[in-house]
Amino acid sequence: MKNWAKNIVWAPSEIAYPTSEAEIQQLVQRAANDRQNIRVIGSGHSFTPVCYTEDMLINLDNFQGLIHVDKENCQATVKAGTKLKALGEMLFREGLAMENLGDIDVQSIAGTISTGTHGTGTSFGTISTQVIALTFVNGKGEIVHCSESENKALFKAAQVSLGSLGIITEVTIQCVPIYKLHIQNKVESIEEVFGNLANRLTQNRNFEFYWFPHTDKALTKTTNIVDNAEVDVIGFYKYWGEYIGENLIFKLFCEYGTWFPSQAKAISKLTSSLITDASKIAYSHKVYATERLVRFMEMEYNVPADAYEEVWKELGKAMDKHNFHVHFPIENRWVKQDDIPLSPAYGRDSAYIACHVYQKKEYQPYFNIIQDIFKAHDGRPHWGKWHSLTAKDIQERYPELGTFLKHRAAQDPENIFLSDYLKALLGEYVYAQ
C-alpha cells in the first residue's frame, strides 16, 4: 500500500472491502477476537502514517452513496466512504450543496472530517462543523449513534477523531440549497494583498492566496455567491488550459527543479509570470476543488488568526535567510473557530499556512525550520499533513485532549484502533485517565 504522495509504504496482513455496516461490524468483532489492529483508508490523501497498519486495513470504497435526504431541513445522511466529488453531484441532484469545501475533493467524507480538513472563509468552520450526526462501529463491535442532540460530548469527540474511536459508517450533513459561485483568480503583488487583507477577508465569502517563494507575487482567489448569473460553459480549450496545460507545464518545471535545485528562484518567478487572471461562474461543487496531477509533500499548520501577520513576517525572513530551493506556492487560508476537542481550530479563529515540496525533492530541512516558526506561535498541524510533533506537543496545544482520550478509551477499551503512530501521537498511556 502507498498513500497519494507515496511517502508512506506499508503491507497490511489483510485488506477488507466491506459493502455494508453489518460487514464492517463483523470485521471489527473478528479483529477484536483476534487481537488485531484496524486502520481505515479512504483515498490515502494523508501525508502521515495515519492509515498505516500491519494488521487489518479496511477500505470503504465499496461503501458509498446517499442513505437519506431531508429536503425540508436541508440535511443528508451519507455512507462514510463516499468521495467528496461524488457527494457533490449526489447532493446537487437533490437540490442541495455543502456550505463550504476545501480545494481537493478526492477524499472520502469520513477521512475528510476525521483529519479536520477545511476550506477557507472567516464565516466557516472546518468541514467537520457541517456534520450534525454520526454513526460508527466502536472497538467493542457496537453500533453507536451520536449527534448535536444525542450524546453530544461523544459527538464532539467523533467529529475529528483520527479514526481512533471506531469506524464511521454514516455521516449526516447540514446542507444548504444549491448556489452558484463566481471565482476570480488574480495575480497581484504581496503588497497589494496585505494592503487591504482585513477587508478581503470580511467582505468576501471566501478568500485565499498563494505566494510564489522568492518573488513579490501572489495568486489570489476570491469567491462570492451570484444568484442570477448564467453558469459558464467549460469547453475543451478552457479545460485544457485550466487543468491539463497548467498541470503538465508545472510538472515539467518541478522535474527541472529536481535536476537543478539552484534554479528554484527562476522557476518560481517564471511560474508567477505565466499565470493569467481567470474568472468562472459555476455551481459551488464545481468551483471549490482543483484537480492535481503534480504530486507533492505538504505541511500545513493552523495558527491563531491574530498571530498570522507576525507568523508571515517570520516565514518570509526564514525564506530569505535559508534560501530554500523551493518554488511551490505557499497557501494561506482562514477558518472560523469551533468547539471540537481535536480540531486545530478549537477555541480560536484561525489562519492556515500550507507549504509544499515536489514529491521527488527533499522536504524535511525546509519543513523543520518553518515548523519551528509555527510551533513558536502555538501552531497546530492539520492532522493529515506532515509534522513531527510529539505527544507532549499535542498535549500542550489541545486543552481538551484528556476529555477526548476518555471518550476514546470508553469506545475502544482494547485499543484495536490505536496504531503505534497514534499511540505515540496521542500519548495514550501517558495522558489517559
Side-chain angles (χ1 to χ4, degrees):
M1 295 294 298
K2 295 180 181 179
N3 64 340
W4 178 82
K6 300 183 180 180
N7 65 302
I8 308 293
V9 181
W10 73 104
S13 63
E14 176 183 357
I15 305 176
Y17 295 86
T19 60
S20 68
E21 186 177 70
E23 286 184 55
I24 294 171
Q25 188 177 27
Q26 291 168 6
L27 288 168
V28 171
Q29 291 169 338
R30 174 159 65 82
N33 291 335
D34 296 343
R35 296 187 177 278
Q36 280 191 306
N37 174 247
I38 295 178
R39 295 304 296 158
V40 180
I41 190 168
S43 300
H45 228 278
S46 289
F47 300 82
T48 64
V50 68
C51 298
Y52 184 103
T53 180
E54 294 180 353
D55 290 340
M56 183 187 294
L57 184 68
I58 293 181
N59 183 305
L60 296 181
D61 282 357
N62 293 337
F63 189 65
Q64 300 191 55
L66 284 176
I67 297 172
H68 175 70
V69 175
D70 179 350
K71 292 186 179 182
E72 182 178 354
N73 292 305
C74 290
Q75 295 171 1
T77 300
V78 59
K79 294 178 182 178
T82 306
K83 301 298 192 289
L84 293 180
K85 185 172 184 177
L87 178 57
E89 295 291 345
M90 294 173 191
L91 293 176
F92 181 74
R93 289 193 289 268
E94 300 291 339
L96 300 176
M98 295 183 70
E99 71 170 359
N100 204 32
L101 283 168
D103 60 0
I104 298 176
D105 60 5
V106 300
Q107 310 99 314
S108 67
I109 183 62
T112 297
I113 65 172
S114 293
T115 54
T117 298
H118 61 93
T120 190
T122 55
S123 298
F124 305 103
T126 66
I127 295 174
S128 297
T129 63
Q130 298 174 48
V131 177
I132 58 173
L134 287 167
T135 300
F136 65 91
V137 179
N138 69 14
K140 295 176 280 189
E142 301 168 339
I143 296 176
V144 180
H145 305 281
C146 56
S147 68
E148 287 284 356
S149 58
E150 178 186 1
N151 206 346
K152 184 174 180 177
L154 176 60
F155 172 67
K156 288 295 163 185
Q159 279 179 290
V160 178
S161 68
L162 298 175
S164 67
L165 295 180
I167 300 176
I168 296 172
T169 56
E170 296 182 8
V171 180
T172 300
I173 304 163
Q174 181 61 58
C175 302
V176 296
I178 57 173
Y179 57 100
K180 300 170 189 174
L181 289 174
H182 180 203
I183 183 168
Q184 295 175 293
N185 297 345
K186 187 177 181 181
V187 178
E188 304 182 60
S189 71
I190 280 292
E191 184 178 356
E192 288 177 302
V193 173
F194 279 93
N196 65 346
L197 181 59
N199 288 336
R200 292 175 189 246
L201 293 175
T202 57
Q203 294 178 9
N204 295 290
R205 187 182 194 276
N206 310 100
F207 176 77
E208 64 182 303
F209 76 89
Y210 296 76
W211 173 57
F212 296 93
H214 313 297
T215 79
D216 65 348
K217 298 297 183 182
L219 173 66
T220 61
K221 292 189 174 186
T222 307
T223 309
N224 288 291
I225 290 179
V226 288
D227 294 321
N228 300 318
E230 292 294 323
V231 171
D232 290 339
V233 176
I234 307 299
F236 172 79
Y237 291 106
K238 190 169 184 178
Y239 176 77
W240 176 268
E242 286 187 358
Y243 174 49
I244 303 296
E246 286 184 11
N247 274 281
L248 290 181
I249 291 171
F250 190 60
K251 185 174 179 64
L252 289 175
F253 287 170
C254 290
E255 288 290 330
Y256 180 74
T258 301
W259 286 100
F260 303 100
S262 64
Q263 296 300 303
K265 287 185 179 180
I267 294 171
S268 189
K269 291 177 181 178
L270 180 58
T271 302
S272 66
S273 69
L274 290 176
I275 292 179
T276 58
D277 296 351
S279 175
K280 179 173 70 174
I281 296 175
Y283 284 102
S284 60
H285 65 293
K286 298 286 191 179
V287 171
Y288 291 113
T290 54
E291 297 182 77
R292 307 289 177 87
L293 288 180
V294 180
R295 294 179 189 257
F296 50 79
M297 279 295 297
E298 182 177 358
M299 171 182 70
E300 183 175 38
Y301 264 78
N302 167 308
V303 297
D306 56 11
Y308 169 75
E309 292 201 28
E310 180 59 32
V311 172
W312 180 257
K313 290 176 184 176
E314 292 183 25
L315 188 153
K317 291 177 181 177
M319 296 293 287
D320 291 338
K321 177 181 178 180
H322 297 281
N323 193 28
F324 295 116
H325 291 156
V326 296
H327 62 271
F328 247 95
I330 295 177
E331 185 177 17
N332 300 259
R333 293 181 283 178
W334 284 263
V335 171
K336 183 181 178 181
Q337 66 176 300
D338 61 45
D339 59 352
I340 302 169
L342 238 56
S343 169
Y346 175 83
R348 68 191 194 194
D349 291 333
S350 304
Y352 281 79
I353 302 175
C355 302
H356 308 74
V357 173
Y358 184 48
Q359 175 196 37
K360 297 180 181 179
K361 294 185 69 173
E362 177 61 46
Y363 61 89
Q364 285 191 291
Y366 170 46
F367 283 2
N368 283 334
I369 289 173
I370 303 303
Q371 179 179 242
D372 286 342
I373 296 173
F374 296 147
K375 288 175 64 177
H377 292 274
D378 195 26
R380 299 168 181 165
H382 182 309
W383 291 112
K385 312 294 175 68
W386 181 94
H387 67 88
S388 62
L389 297 194
T390 65
K392 185 175 184 297
D393 293 321
I394 299 300
Q395 184 195 30
E396 292 172 349
R397 284 161 171 76
Y398 288 87
E400 291 299 316
L401 178 62
T403 299
F404 174 84
L405 290 175
K406 288 179 181 178
H407 286 293
R408 209 219 67 74
Q411 296 301 319
D412 182 28
E414 299 301 320
N415 297 327
I416 68 170
F417 296 113
L418 273 189
S419 61
D420 290 341
Y421 170 72
L422 288 183
K423 289 176 184 176
L425 185 64
L426 298 177
E428 175 76 7
Y429 302 113
V430 178
Y431 304 118
Q433 299 178 13

